[in-house]
Amino acid sequence: MWARGEKSGIAARQRAAAVAVFTLAVTVFLGVALSSSPRVEAAVTTPGYLHTNGSAIVTESGTPVTLKAVNWFGMETSNCAPHGLWQISLDQGLDRIAAFGFTTLRLPFSNECLRSTAPVSGIEARNPELAGRTPLQVMDAVVAEAGARGMQVILDRHRPDSGSQSELWYTSRYSEKDWIDDWVMLAKRYAGNPTVIGADLHNEPRGSACWGCGDAARDWAAAATRAGNAVLAANPRWLVIVEGVERSADGSTTWWGGNLRDTAAKPIQLAVKNQLVYSAHDYPASVFPQTWFADPAYPANLPAVWDRSWGYLAKQNIAPVLLGEFGTKLETESDRAWLRTLVGYLGENRISFAFWSFNPNSGDTGGLVADDWVTPQQAKLDALAPLLGAAPGPTSAPTTTAGTTAPTTTKPSTTAPTTTKPSTTAPTTTKPSTTAPTTTKPSTTAPTTPPTSTPASGKPSVTWTRRSAWNDGYVADVTVRASGALPTWTVSWADPSAVAVTNAWGMSCSVGGGRITCTGSDWARSLPAGGTATVGLQVRIAGPAPERPVLTVS
């Protein structure tokens, strides 16, 4: 009944024993008996395989189901495992997710991790049963333990390689055939296991990706049809989840993967009927100031925005929609208004969802737990309570050994999308995807007062903030504010310990002469007068990380 090739002691548990363990964990963690918590009690029985009926996702008996999912990322990064397992056990994480009221896990992965035969490292202390496991075997363990709790899993191909996300479904390193072959492998691997219910084929198509344009190199709808049919040939009971694009045929743009305006006119047609779910992503003004956030009618204008981009599919009974990502730190009134309105919209229209994220180390959204990976972010849970079927109020945290602060992964905010046709290399975008750190041992947090450059005439003001640091690396944000139109910009700072910049978003960076030098690129290459962009980088070091470097701006 479990995944083929699974040799995990976790997977070998009998369901009765797993439920008993979960019952005990919830009793200890929440201080209440399982029988007194309806939402936890309901989570011990999976609805089985699912299909669609109009705009509804339904069970095999035809009962409508709303997927109540949360994202737990990390298997798409160089860690090749859900983040936080250096600090909590897999059991603890899944117990928390189930106790919060979620029924489904959206599990991002990369093809690079999927194909790796090297054991996952850095998680053995809290998860000794995962010692020596390959990333694919760790995925097996996540699936097994989620199923033991009555939860289901959506697999999300988040990235081709573990270093960065791609706008198209293929890259020079991972071909379309590699992408489809890996999906077919997973479809076969989990065939017969109703814990895994579907495939989110490619995360956030954007830039040059088009919907139904007929260009085989860019037509995401056509590629999704090819991949979806291959998946269903291997496992006809899976849901095939197809995200939108960034730019519609009329030139309008929205969040990456969030534009499904052309779908009604050019729908996906799969060989197996009633298995297709469309998906979009949506974020608040703190992630990027889309034009609709400045509308005087905000937030009352939001339902019309969502109707145009993706909500119409559900409201007109065309097809089901999964809002596959949405999240916020909930620190501004604008964000709070956005979330209140979105929760009402999703509930009213019975739209399935996947909150971003369980992880606290999503730089611009945070997560559902604090940096200790244990303490609930109660304000967010209270805001989500109407969707989760849980009464607002305190949710106690389980006892765990204190650890270190997690490295931060950032979905940086960007400048406004341009009206020019995006190229295949540099997206004209609105919301970059999470860029994850490559280590598991953070040790310090950001300084409370970040260093800021003093701009000369015509130069931008630049603020540098260290988000996290560990024994051999750190992650920092760089916020650039333009007083006048800024066609290019460069910032540098001394860092004698820097060995290499292992990742950067919104800028191109180099190390030399004891300094790091970064120049704006891609979506943050240029800024309009008064514009602001928050970009970032991850650095590998052989000594102490800088705390307040002096910035040089040009």
Side-chain angles (χ1 to χ4, degrees), residues 72-92:
W72 188 356
F73 66 79
M75 287 202 71
E76 80 282 17
T77 74
S78 58
N79 297 100
C80 291
H83 281 177
L85 294 185
W86 54 77
Q87 193 157 330
I88 60 172
S89 68
L90 179 60
D91 283 340
Q92 286 177 305

Side-chain angles (χ1 to χ4, degrees), residues 195-331:
T195 295
V196 185
I197 56 173
D200 192 336
L201 294 178
H202 175 60
N203 187 65
E204 296 184 340
R206 65 185 193 276
S208 61
C210 61
W211 189 279
C213 65
D215 181 347
R218 301 188 300 116
D219 192 337
W220 165 236
T225 302
R226 294 190 292 272
N229 283 334
V231 165
L232 291 173
N235 190 341
R237 306 179 79 181
W238 262 13
L239 297 175
V240 171
I241 300 169
V242 179
E243 297 185 28
V245 291
E246 175 189 0
R247 184 181 301 274
S248 62
D250 65 7
S252 61
T253 61
T254 183
W255 304 105
W256 291 357
N259 200 326
L260 289 161
R261 294 187 185 187
D262 299 326
T263 302
K266 296 180 178 180
I268 300 285
Q269 300 285 348
L270 296 176
V272 179
K273 304 300 181 184
N274 301 319
Q275 296 299 136
L276 173 66
V277 175
Y278 293 109
S279 183
H281 295 176
D282 200 86
Y283 283 93
S286 61
V287 174
F288 176 70
Q290 301 275 13
T291 56
W292 48 85
F293 295 120
D295 188 320
Y298 178 81
N301 63 322
L302 289 175
V305 172
W306 299 324
D307 284 348
R308 286 192 299 271
S309 291
W310 44 270
Y312 76 95
L313 293 166
K315 295 178 80 169
Q316 297 177 25
N317 201 36
I318 295 172
V321 175
L322 166 73
L323 189 63
E325 288 185 20
F326 67 106
T328 169
K329 288 184 177 178
L330 215 59
E331 292 177 341

Side-chain angles (χ1 to χ4, degrees), residues 120-153:
V120 172
S121 62
I123 63 175
E124 301 88 347
R126 295 286 186 265
N127 298 271
E129 71 280 4
L130 299 181
R133 302 293 179 84
T134 66
L136 187 55
Q137 290 170 334
V138 171
M139 179 182 284
D140 290 341
V142 174
V143 168
E145 286 299 286
R149 288 157 174 78
M151 299 178 67
Q152 295 187 297
V153 175

